[in-house]
Amino acid sequence: MSSSFPRRKAMHSRGWKNHSSVTEFILLGFSRNPRTNWILFFLFLFLYVFTVLGNGLIVTLIRVDAHLHTPMYFFLSILSLLDLSYATTTVPQMLIHLVSDSKTISYVGCVVQMYVFLALGITETWIFAAMAYDRYVAICYPLHYGVKMSQTLCVLLAVSSAFCGITCALVYTVFAMNLPYCGPNEINHFFCEIPAVLKLACADTTLNDQVDFILGFILLLIPLSLILASYVRIFVAVLKIRSTQGRIKAFSTCASHITVVTMFCIPCMVMYMRPGSEASPEGDKKLALFYNVISAFLNPIIYSLRNKDVKRAFLKLVGMSEDAQ
């Protein structure tokens, strides 16, 4: 029973009298059954290694192959870097906790993990919007694509996405960790995600729910609206193409992006835009797995299996030619 209660220290210096503060949290993870945890360990280890190798390979191919130095692959390389970093923020620690008796994370470590995770996730939603705009310009204005999607604009879109992620994640984190946490300290999750941590606050979290909803609206619904607007115009333009083969080719360039956006953004909306009282710990862990682990694992597969340019770059990298295949 002692593990259910945190080590405490006085909080008078923080202005909360008659309270005490946790110095560490305990992440309960998925199961307390050692056999189940070992099975999960090998499963998530495989997913993580493939995620690192797959996304790392895409970044490398785009970097070394001059034919992939286009706006579309520029954003794809950023997406791969975000996915790799996103998974690395949580999965290595989860793997250690699955096979270790100690499942603690320090208060500071929890705050850092929460902030980095949010910053990367928010940045990714806006990169999705930038990728949709890129496809819109490529399909609707093919003759002006090089001018409209200039290098300056691409860098500006990437930097503004990162700035939005860095600043908005700070707001999320400050509002969450400004609350008193005086025990218990067991987080029913596999990492420090805001909805799970807020359940341990020794204060009313109504304001936090409101802030989360407003930020969720800005950071999820607005990018999704921009993506939807881009694809409405894309579909209208594609329907005007007389050639069936031309339509299929145009739709195929967008299918991968639509799939990835759906896998990532829909679970995020459910997690961050509903009241905390409606959250289910087990359901939250499954949702988090989907947009934190599964999405990062599948992205390299989705973007490379049907992409001839990526395949060609890979064969060139390993010293093989398509003719030999």
Side-chain angles (χ1 to χ4, degrees):
M1 295 293 293
S2 60
S3 64
S4 299
F5 297 93
R7 293 180 292 165
R8 301 165 182 257
K9 64 181 181 179
M11 289 180 55
H12 296 285
S13 61
R14 296 190 185 185
W16 291 317
K17 295 184 179 181
N18 300 322
H19 286 282
S20 58
S21 170
V22 302
T23 60
E24 64 183 18
F25 293 102
I26 298 171
L27 295 167
L28 297 182
F30 298 97
S31 172
R32 301 199 181 205
N33 185 319
R35 184 176 180 181
T36 302
N37 283 340
W38 274 106
I39 294 173
L40 292 174
F41 171 82
F42 287 111
L43 172 62
F44 291 132
L45 178 62
F46 166 76
L47 293 176
Y48 179 65
V49 170
F50 188 91
T51 296
V52 172
L53 294 177
N55 285 289
L57 178 61
I58 287 181
V59 173
T60 302
L61 292 176
I62 293 173
R63 177 74 177 176
V64 301
D65 195 309
H67 293 94
L68 301 182
H69 292 176
T70 64
M72 181 178 78
Y73 291 108
F74 169 74
F75 290 120
L76 178 56
S77 67
I78 294 177
L79 179 64
S80 293
L81 281 173
L82 288 171
D83 283 336
L84 194 157
S85 303
Y86 205 57
T88 301
T89 304
T90 60
V91 177
Q93 180 193 58
M94 176 180 67
L95 292 173
I96 294 172
H97 285 180
L98 283 171
V99 296
S100 171
D101 292 332
S102 175
K103 304 182 187 299
T104 61
I105 182 172
S106 68
Y107 182 91
V108 174
C110 187
V111 173
V112 171
Q113 185 183 62
M114 182 186 299
Y115 173 75
V116 174
F117 181 82
L118 282 169
L120 293 170
I122 293 168
T123 301
E124 187 156 327
T125 60
W126 288 98
I127 289 296
F128 283 142
M131 294 174 77
Y133 177 73
D134 170 72
R135 292 299 81 208
Y136 158 69
V137 175
I139 293 174
C140 297
Y141 301 97
L143 299 179
H144 301 90
Y145 179 69
V147 176
K148 287 181 175 290
M149 292 303 297
S150 64
Q151 184 177 8
T152 301
L153 177 60
C154 292
V155 172
L156 181 61
L157 289 173
V159 171
S160 59
S161 298
F163 178 77
C164 183
I166 291 170
T167 54
C168 292
L170 184 62
V171 175
Y172 261 116
T173 306
V174 168
F175 266 86
M177 304 316 291
N178 194 44
L179 295 170
Y181 292 89
C182 49
N185 69 333
E186 290 186 339
I187 301 175
N188 194 1
H189 212 303
F190 62 92
F191 73 100
C192 288
E193 189 165 32
I194 282 185
V197 175
L198 285 178
K199 293 179 182 179
L200 304 184
C202 307
D204 183 10
T205 60
T206 302
L207 177 60
N208 293 80
D209 286 341
Q210 294 173 348
V211 170
D212 289 353
F213 180 83
I214 293 171
L215 286 176
F217 179 85
I218 296 172
L219 303 174
L220 287 171
L221 290 187
I222 291 181
L224 282 175
S225 298
L226 295 174
I227 292 170
L228 180 61
S230 296
Y231 278 111
V232 167
R233 292 200 167 193
I234 287 173
F235 291 149
V236 170
V238 169
L239 291 176
K240 294 180 181 179
I241 299 176
R242 295 182 179 181
S243 168
T244 302
Q245 186 176 0
R247 290 183 183 181
I248 294 174
K249 182 177 179 181
F251 276 124
S252 65
T253 63
C254 303
S256 298
H257 183 249
I258 294 174
T259 303
V260 170
V261 169
T262 303
M263 286 194 310
F264 183 86
C265 291
I266 301 303
C268 285
M269 288 177 63
V270 175
M271 178 71 80
Y272 286 94
M273 295 190 66
R274 67 182 174 189
S277 58
E278 297 181 8
S280 163
E282 296 306 314
D284 285 354
K285 282 185 270 191
K286 293 175 183 177
L287 282 173
L289 270 179
F290 208 81
Y291 57 74
N292 179 211
V293 180
I294 305 301
S295 177
F297 167 75
L298 291 177
N299 282 0
I301 300 174
I302 293 172
Y303 276 109
S304 61
L305 285 182
R306 298 175 59 190
N307 192 308
K308 294 181 180 180
D309 293 333
V310 173
K311 289 180 181 178
R312 188 182 300 112
F314 175 73
L315 293 174
K316 181 179 178 181
L317 181 68
V318 297
M320 299 173 64
S321 64
E322 288 186 302
D323 295 336
Q325 297 297 306

